[in-house]
């Protein structure tokens, strides 16, 4: 059973109080991206999409029904989870080749890369734990027990904290990356799947599949500070300046949420079963993988309209941060 | 750890539809039929969520909420099993409706987390009906028995679609 969060969080708040203010999104926006790496689950492959012209430029065979994805901080490697073969597959992004693959746990799905320490975190929905992975050595170096069926993972921009959406416990676990100790848990909506942290590292957002809403977490306080109803069966969240974009699988839409006041300002019709969603660092475009229609769609964040789409492989999920 | 896994399985067994399933891989199925009739005429037959009399495998339908979002229906099949379904969205302008299964015994239809769209597009005197679905197999963990495998799920769903669409074509082209 998770321990009560309050006492733990008081020390966490003290620790983070000054740091959270010091971190800004400036470093993020300095980066540019040019490609999307889209995991095609039923297609057993990884599609590489050139973002400038929305064309698929490569399809790399992966195997094991790939779903989750993360990029190395330098953008040179893509890390893919293959739940059926119980592997993490390392892809050389520029060479478009599988560089390494190794076993991780029983059912690896959500994956996140640490911004500085070189480690990967892989959520295992079957063993209810997170594997800490050294991708260079190709092995698991630690296991962190969390709640039931951890799904989405996210690391704060300063690298201090790892958040896990513990889907079947309706909570988010907050983990200290220095010690791999779980600092506490935060109750959210029903069946949180994707979790996304803002550029300042202050708030996190979960897409709650079974309650059709998005929860807002104050990370330092270790508590949920708001909920907003979105579309049917939300999957994941991307954040731009002051807004959240949420993919709704069954509705075939993306909800645009104004974070100040937490209200849905627009609902954009996209393809069937939109899932993985990511924003480019300039915040000009959002990219959405539509699982049923086998496309990656581009949404202009100013116009709130679809401005392009690229055909990808079968069953694109792109669960994680998939732009480089 | 072993105990935690066992508990997890027990929960899955009791609430199979609550698990949003990420062990197995989600499957798709799509079937279409061309009908020699305008889309309006076809939609008049299939567009009511509370009427599945066009499908030969459905013996009885009991429902609530008409064609509004969250309306429900319980289908009793000619084989004797039942399927409980909920309307996600009905869009007569686009001639489509989306629905999901809220309760079904895997022996009746070996799927979990099933959602579907039934639609018709027309061009003059011809139309195309598309029935598509997304679902996980009947067995939510690794190493399923053959009757609850991915292949079994896809085969069963395609069978439902094919049987319905072929009968629909016959019915509409025969005048209704």
């Amino acid at each position: 059973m998770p321990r009560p969060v309050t006492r733990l969080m008081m020390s966490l708040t003290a620790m983070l109080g000054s740091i959270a203010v010091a971190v800004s999104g400036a470093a993020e926006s300095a980066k540019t991206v040019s490609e999307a790496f889209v995991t095609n689950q039923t297609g057993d492959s990884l599609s590489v999409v050139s973002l400038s012209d929305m064309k698929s430029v490569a399809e790399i065979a992966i195997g094991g029904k790939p779903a989750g994805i993360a990029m190395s901080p330098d953008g040179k490697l893509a890390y893919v989870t293959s739940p059926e073969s119980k592997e993490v597959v390392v892809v050389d992004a520029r060479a478009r080749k599988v560089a390494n693959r190794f076993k991780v746990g029983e059912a690896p799905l959500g994956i996140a890369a640490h911004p500085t320490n070189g480690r990967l975190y892989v959520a295992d929905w079957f063993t209810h734990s997170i594997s800490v992975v050294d991708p260079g050595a190709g092995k698991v170096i630690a296991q962190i027990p969390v709640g039931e069926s951890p799904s989405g993972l996210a690391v704060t921009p300063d690298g201090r904290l790892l958040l896990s959406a513990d889907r079947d416990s309706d909570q988010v676990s907050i983990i200290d990356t220095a010690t791999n100790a779980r600092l506490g848990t935060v109750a959210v909506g029903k069946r949180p799947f994707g979790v996304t942290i803002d550029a300042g590292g202050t708030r996190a957002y979960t897409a709650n599949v079974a309650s059709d809403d998005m929860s807002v977490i104050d990370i330092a306080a270790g508590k949920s500070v708001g909920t907003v109803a979105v579309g049917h069966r939300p999957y994941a969240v991307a954040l731009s300046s002051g807004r959240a974009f949420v993919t709704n699988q069954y509705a075939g839409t993306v909800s645009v949420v104004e974070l100040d006041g937490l209200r849905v300002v627009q609902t954009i019709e996209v393809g069937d079963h939109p899932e993985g969603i990511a924003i480019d660092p300039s915040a000009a475009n959002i990219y959405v993988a539509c699982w049923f229609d086998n496309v990656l769609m581009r949404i202009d964040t100013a116009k709130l309209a679809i401005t392009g789409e690229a055909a990808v492989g079968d069953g694109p999920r792109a669960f994680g941060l998939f732009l480089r | 750890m072993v105990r935690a896994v066992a508990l997890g399985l027990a929960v899955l067994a009791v609430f199979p539809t609550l698990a949003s399933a990420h062990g197995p891989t989600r499957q798709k199925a799509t079937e279409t039929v061309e009908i020699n009739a305008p889309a309006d005429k076809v939609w008049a037959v299939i567009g009511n969520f509370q009427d599945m009399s066009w499908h030969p495998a459905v013996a009885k339908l009991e429902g609530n909420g008409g064609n509004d979002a969250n309306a429900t229906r319980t289908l009793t099949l000619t084989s004797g099993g039942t399927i409980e379904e909920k309307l996600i969205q009905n869009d007569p302008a686009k001639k489509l409706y989306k629905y999901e299964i809220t309760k079904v015994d895997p022996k009746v239809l070996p799927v979990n987390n099933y959602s579907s769209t039934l639609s018709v597009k027309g061009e003059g005197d011809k139309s195309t009906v598309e029935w598509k679905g997304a679902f996980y197999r009947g067995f939510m963990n690794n190493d399923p028995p053959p009757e609850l495998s991915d292949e079994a799920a896809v085969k069963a769903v395609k069978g439902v679609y094919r049987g319905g669409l072929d009968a629909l074509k016959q019915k509409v082209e025969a005048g209704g």
Side-chain angles (χ1 to χ4, degrees):
Chain A
M1 286 308 287
R3 286 174 294 170
V5 74
T6 325
R7 205 159 40 84
L8 290 162
M9 278 300 164
M10 282 163 65
S11 60
L12 178 64
T13 308
M15 188 174 90
L16 287 179
S18 56
I19 297 159
V21 179
V23 176
S24 81
E28 289 294 302
S29 55
K31 278 193 291 187
T32 57
V33 295
S34 58
E35 291 176 340
F37 279 61
V38 178
T39 50
N40 304 307
Q41 191 167 30
T42 27
D44 264 329
S45 67
L46 185 64
S47 286
V48 182
V49 175
S50 159
L51 301 179
S52 59
D53 52 0
M54 289 303 280
K55 289 270 188 299
S56 183
V57 291
E59 190 168 345
I60 305 156
I62 299 288
K65 303 290 181 267
I69 183 144
M71 292 287 168
S72 62
D74 62 9
K76 288 181 179 165
L77 301 168
Y79 302 112
V80 173
T81 55
S82 288
E84 265 186 30
S85 58
K86 306 176 185 180
E87 290 172 300
V88 166
V89 181
V90 183
V91 175
D92 180 326
R94 199 172 305 166
R96 322 277 197 226
K97 278 212 287 272
V98 172
N100 193 13
R101 57 199 311 150
F102 47 90
K103 297 280 179 190
V104 174
E106 289 301 312
L109 176 69
I111 183 166
H114 191 279
T116 54
N117 73 11
R119 287 177 185 163
L120 290 178
Y121 300 96
V122 182
D124 195 303
W125 62 264
F126 195 72
T127 61
H128 313 298
S129 67
I130 294 165
S131 303
V132 184
V133 172
D134 175 345
K139 63 177 190 196
V140 176
I141 53 178
Q143 289 285 133
I144 307 167
V146 290
E148 296 282 309
S149 298
S151 301
L153 299 176
V155 183
T156 51
D158 63 7
R160 284 173 164 267
L161 299 172
L162 166 69
L163 270 60
S164 161
D166 301 342
R167 194 193 66 206
D168 295 354
S169 297
D170 302 338
Q171 70 185 24
V172 167
S173 286
I174 301 181
I175 294 140
D176 180 341
T177 56
T179 61
N180 292 335
R182 185 153 62 141
L183 300 169
T185 60
V186 182
V188 293
K190 288 188 189 143
R191 302 292 185 268
F193 194 71
V195 59
T196 305
I197 297 171
D198 66 11
T202 55
R203 291 199 162 185
Y205 300 84
T206 62
N208 307 314
V209 177
S211 48
D212 291 353
D213 53 19
M214 177 179 79
S215 296
V216 186
I217 295 168
D218 179 326
I219 299 172
K223 62 178 192 198
S224 173
V225 291
T227 304
V228 58
V230 290
H232 197 27
R233 283 183 95 86
Y235 186 87
V237 180
L239 300 166
S240 75
S241 40
R243 285 180 166 175
F245 292 75
V246 187
T247 47
N248 304 304
Q249 298 168 88
Y250 282 17
T253 58
V254 169
S255 297
V256 184
V257 180
E258 200 73 62
L259 296 179
D260 185 10
L262 268 193
R263 49 193 191 93
V264 174
V265 290
Q266 192 153 338
T267 302
I268 305 166
E269 284 201 14
V270 292
D272 194 352
H273 274 75
E275 300 202 328
I277 182 166
I279 186 162
D280 73 32
S282 73
N285 291 296
I286 293 247
Y287 299 89
V288 180
C290 299
W291 174 85
F292 210 110
D293 293 343
N294 300 340
V295 294
L296 180 73
M297 285 186 165
R298 181 177 64 202
I299 297 171
D300 182 304
T301 54
K303 296 181 190 145
L304 297 182
I306 297 163
T307 57
E309 65 177 62
V312 292
D314 192 41
R317 303 209 85 150
F319 183 49
L321 297 174
F322 56 86
L323 304 178
R324 73 179 278 268
Chain B
M1 195 31 90
V2 170
R3 217 184 64 179
V5 170
L7 272 176
L9 290 181
V11 170
L12 274 184
V14 180
F15 304 110
T17 51
L18 275 184
S20 49
H22 251 293
T25 298
R26 196 200 284 131
Q27 305 295 313
K28 327 172 167 173
T30 305
E31 293 289 325
T32 59
V33 71
E34 308 274 324
I35 298 180
N36 293 308
D40 285 341
K41 198 173 167 191
V42 177
W43 182 247
V45 176
I46 61 170
N48 178 7
F49 183 69
Q50 302 297 345
D51 181 1
M52 284 290 285
S53 62
W54 55 272
H55 199 303
V58 177
K60 190 173 74 170
L61 182 150
E62 291 163 296
N64 284 304
N67 283 287
D68 296 333
N70 300 317
T72 57
R73 68 187 183 192
T74 300
L75 309 177
T76 304
L77 307 181
T78 48
S79 59
T82 59
I83 304 178
E84 294 178 25
E85 298 179 335
K86 186 167 85 173
L87 184 64
I88 296 170
Q89 179 196 359
N90 185 318
D91 194 336
K94 287 188 184 165
K95 297 189 181 65
L96 68 83
Y97 73 74
K98 295 182 184 184
Y99 69 99
E100 66 194 273
I101 290 179
T102 51
K103 192 175 172 192
V104 68
D105 185 325
K107 289 189 187 75
V108 176
L109 191 67
V111 298
N112 273 298
N113 293 335
Y114 168 103
S115 64
S116 173
T117 304
L118 179 66
S119 64
V120 56
K121 282 194 169 72
E123 206 166 304
D125 287 342
K126 285 193 188 310
S127 50
T128 305
V129 180
E130 184 189 69
W131 199 354
K132 62 179 180 173
F135 46 89
Y136 290 87
R137 68 186 180 218
F139 187 83
M140 294 301 253
N141 279 299
N142 294 335
D143 311 310
E147 71 276 15
L148 298 177
S149 66
D150 289 343
E151 293 75 18
V154 172
K155 190 173 170 221
V157 172
K158 284 189 171 233
V160 170
Y161 293 176
R162 205 61 261 161
L165 295 175
D166 291 346
L168 176 68
K169 177 179 171 73
Q170 219 172 0
K171 178 184 164 88
V172 173
E173 289 182 356

